[in-house]
Every structure is written in structure tokens, then in C-alpha cells.
Amino acid sequence: MLNFLRNNQPFFFILYSWIILIVILPIKYFKDSSVDSSIVSKTFLSLPFFIYYILFAAIVFYTSFKINRIINKSVLFPKSFYLSGLIYLILMLFYSAINYSILPAIGNLFVVLALEQFFKIFRNETCKNLIFKSSLFLVISMLFSPLNIILLPVIWVILLVIRPFDWREYIMPFFVLILFGLYIVPFGLINGELYSWCESWWVYFSSLRVIPIKFSLLVYIVFLSLSLFLSINPISSTFVRSNNRYKKVTWVVISLLFFALCSCFTSVFFLGFYPPFIYPFFVPISIIIATGLIRSRFKWIIDLLLLAFFIVMVLLLCLQ
């Protein structure tokens, strides 16, 4: 039905992405102008309101393009497609006010960089360097999205799935955490600003629990649940027939999906956030939905679901 979604030319991905950003961001700018951005200015950067939108557009577009490059270099798709990044961009664009989404968007960029390192891990090749880099990226992402600490165990799950046991690889995340602590804690103590840093950091993060468009959370839950359900069959069918490398890469995505979902549940049931802190979840779910769109025998169903999601979110935004 929507065959343009499966175009394998990067030009069309860039064109569609920037058309969506250029059309939707000005609408969000005027709709979000009533949102209190003072807390963002105090804890991030004191910038003019519209600069947040330019930064957000650049960060989300680059992240979505990076997702496409990583997936196209893997074995997940039979040829190059640019659908995963487009879905990610749409999910990030509508979820909340832009100035509240900047730091989670930066955090997601580092999650994607960590995912790139995971995809480079092979069974018969030592990967201490890759694990160090992926751990470093995930720890940096925690500076922008504290709940990303829940994603750290994905490193050990991936090692368990792909690699034979090597204790030096398993301790690498702890080494990165210690290294970070040795740099940040003494610097903060010397300047006497460690407590105020941590307080501002958490105040900003806790402020992310507000500002969804009315009914948008329900629309997101319905769309993501149905898309995941419809993608299970084509993914599982391909999984059964595929080689070991495809299976291991699929497990990487599923593992990230699981821990991102744990992060979401933690934000709701333990921290009382509303809406849920679901930003990291958008990375693996966009890959899974794209797989369903590309490999499903009933592509038109998921096509209609994605189109309906986009139209409903635009209408909700305009009627806000």
C-alpha cells in the first residue's frame, strides 16, 4: 500500500524526514509556547525557545540516520532500507514538548552508538574494546537520561548470547563506571558543586513526567502494542529459517527492547512518572516495527496502522 515506506534510497528518507520536521515542528512550537521552559533553562542551557527545536531536529534526524546505517550494515534486512529511522523520528517527534525531549533525545543517541558496538560483536573475536565503548556510551547516556542505568545489564545478556565466557569482558562495565566516578566525583567535590549538580540533574529529569498531548499516551500504547503484535509473526518466521548471525543480532534488539521496557515500568510503578519514561524504548521498537513492515505478508495492515497513527497524532496536535 504505502510502498514509499520501503524505498531503499537514502535521498527519500532524508526528504520525508525533513518534510515531517519542517511541517510539524512549527506547529509544536506555537502549541508548546505555553509550556514552562524555565526548568530546562536552569538545568540545561539558557537558550531562546526556538533553539531547542533546531537542536532537537538535528539530534533526532542524526540519530534516525544512524539507526538506518547500523541496521543496513547488519543482517536484519535483505537489503538497505531506511524505515527504522523514519519510525523512530515520528515516535520522538510527537511524544512530548520538544524542550522537555532534548536531553532524552541526546541520551538515545548514545544508546544507538552503544547498539552499533553490540552489532560488531562476533562469537570468535575478542570484544573487550567493543564492550568498553558500548559501556561508555551507555554511561554517558545516563547523564542525559538517568533511567538508562537500567539498560546496563543488556551488555551481560548480549555477551551471554553471543560470546563464550571471558570474565574480563564482563567486568568492563564496572571499570567504565569506576572511571567515570574517578573523573566526576573529585571534580564536583573540589568545586563544591556536586550536590547542586545532582539535584538539578534530577529536578530536570523528574519534570519529564508532564506535557503529553491529551490522549496521546493512549494512542502511543495502542499503536506500539498492535505494531509489536503484528511484527511478531514475520520476525519469528524469519528467525526460525535464518542463520546464527541473524538470530544473535535479533537477540541484541530484543534484549534492548526488554530492558527499555523495564526502564519504562520503573518510571511508572516505582517513581510515579506520568507519562512513562519511554524514550529508550523507541530505539528497539522502531527496528522491530520496520522489520514487520518489510517482512510481513500483510504489509497493508501495518501500513494502515502507521498512517493512522501519524494522522491521529497530527490531529491531536492541531486540536490541542
Side-chain angles (χ1 to χ4, degrees):
M1 181 182 175
L2 302 177
N3 289 326
F4 71 90
L5 290 173
R6 298 173 186 82
N7 199 292
N8 61 355
Q9 298 299 320
F11 169 78
F12 292 100
F13 162 73
I14 296 170
L15 178 65
Y16 301 147
S17 296
W18 280 108
I19 287 175
I20 292 171
L21 289 170
I22 290 170
V23 171
I24 300 299
L25 282 180
I27 301 175
K28 288 188 70 68
Y29 177 80
F30 290 106
K31 295 292 183 178
D32 295 344
S33 58
S34 59
V35 174
D36 178 20
S37 62
S38 61
I39 193 167
V40 185
S41 301
K42 291 176 183 177
T43 56
F44 182 34
L45 291 172
S46 182
L47 297 172
F49 197 67
F50 74 93
I51 297 295
Y52 293 123
Y53 289 76
I54 297 174
L55 287 173
F56 179 84
I59 293 165
V60 171
F61 174 77
Y62 178 76
T63 304
S64 62
F65 194 83
K66 191 70 175 176
I67 290 173
N68 287 329
R69 285 182 58 86
I70 293 168
I71 298 304
N72 288 338
K73 288 181 179 179
S74 72
V75 296
L76 283 177
F77 295 158
K79 59 180 180 179
S80 293
F81 288 101
Y82 293 86
L83 185 56
S84 302
L86 187 63
I87 294 172
Y88 171 80
L89 183 142
I90 292 171
L91 291 174
M92 287 292 295
L93 185 58
F94 289 106
Y95 188 64
S96 187
I98 298 302
N99 52 332
Y100 282 81
S101 299
I102 290 178
L103 293 192
I106 299 173
N108 276 9
L109 172 58
F110 286 100
V111 172
V112 170
L113 294 175
L115 182 66
E116 181 178 25
Q117 303 305 311
F118 294 147
F119 278 12
K120 295 177 182 178
I121 297 175
F122 288 86
R123 176 172 180 79
N124 297 320
E125 298 177 10
T126 183
C127 62
K128 292 191 293 294
N129 186 45
L130 296 175
I131 294 299
F132 176 84
K133 290 180 180 178
S134 60
S135 301
L136 183 61
F137 288 138
L138 286 180
V139 171
I140 293 174
S141 78
M142 289 161 45
L143 299 178
F144 302 98
S145 300
L147 275 182
N148 283 3
I149 191 173
I150 298 174
L151 303 182
L152 273 179
V154 75
I155 297 172
W156 296 304
V157 173
I158 290 169
L159 285 174
L160 187 65
V161 169
I162 299 179
R163 291 275 299 148
F165 180 77
D166 184 344
W167 65 270
R168 290 167 295 185
E169 296 170 356
Y170 279 78
I171 66 170
M172 200 59 68
F174 295 111
F175 176 74
V176 172
L177 286 171
I178 293 171
L179 191 65
F180 245 75
L182 291 175
Y183 275 94
I184 293 176
V185 174
F187 184 76
L189 291 174
I190 291 171
N191 287 273
E193 297 290 336
L194 182 62
Y195 177 77
S196 62
W197 289 349
C198 295
E199 185 180 31
S200 298
W201 178 59
W202 185 255
V203 165
Y204 173 82
F205 176 66
S206 60
S207 72
L208 297 174
R209 70 182 69 185
V210 295
I211 329 285
I213 304 170
K214 192 175 182 180
F215 302 119
S216 65
L217 183 60
L218 177 61
V219 176
Y220 265 78
I221 291 173
V222 171
F223 169 69
L224 294 176
S225 300
L226 289 177
S227 299
L228 183 60
F229 174 76
L230 292 171
S231 299
I232 288 174
N233 185 59
I235 290 174
S236 59
S237 299
T238 307
F239 187 89
V240 170
R241 301 191 306 267
S242 63
N243 57 32
N244 284 334
R245 183 58 188 170
Y246 179 91
K247 292 177 180 178
K248 293 183 185 301
V249 170
T250 302
W251 274 116
V252 170
V253 178
I254 292 173
S255 300
L256 184 59
L257 181 79
F258 172 78
F259 285 104
L261 200 57
C262 289
S263 175
C264 173
F265 287 151
T266 300
S267 72
V268 174
F269 296 111
F270 293 95
L271 299 176
F273 282 22
Y274 182 84
F277 188 77
I278 200 173
Y279 293 100
F281 186 74
F282 293 153
V283 175
I285 196 65
S286 64
I287 299 171
I288 289 173
I289 295 173
T291 303
L293 276 164
I294 291 167
R295 296 186 180 274
S296 175
R297 289 180 298 172
F298 307 101
K299 297 179 176 64
W300 63 273
I301 298 177
I302 307 181
D303 287 358
L304 280 177
L305 187 61
L306 180 59
L307 183 61
F309 171 76
F310 183 79
I311 292 173
V312 169
M313 290 307 302
V314 171
L315 290 175
L316 288 175
L317 177 63
C318 294
L319 296 174
Q320 182 182 5

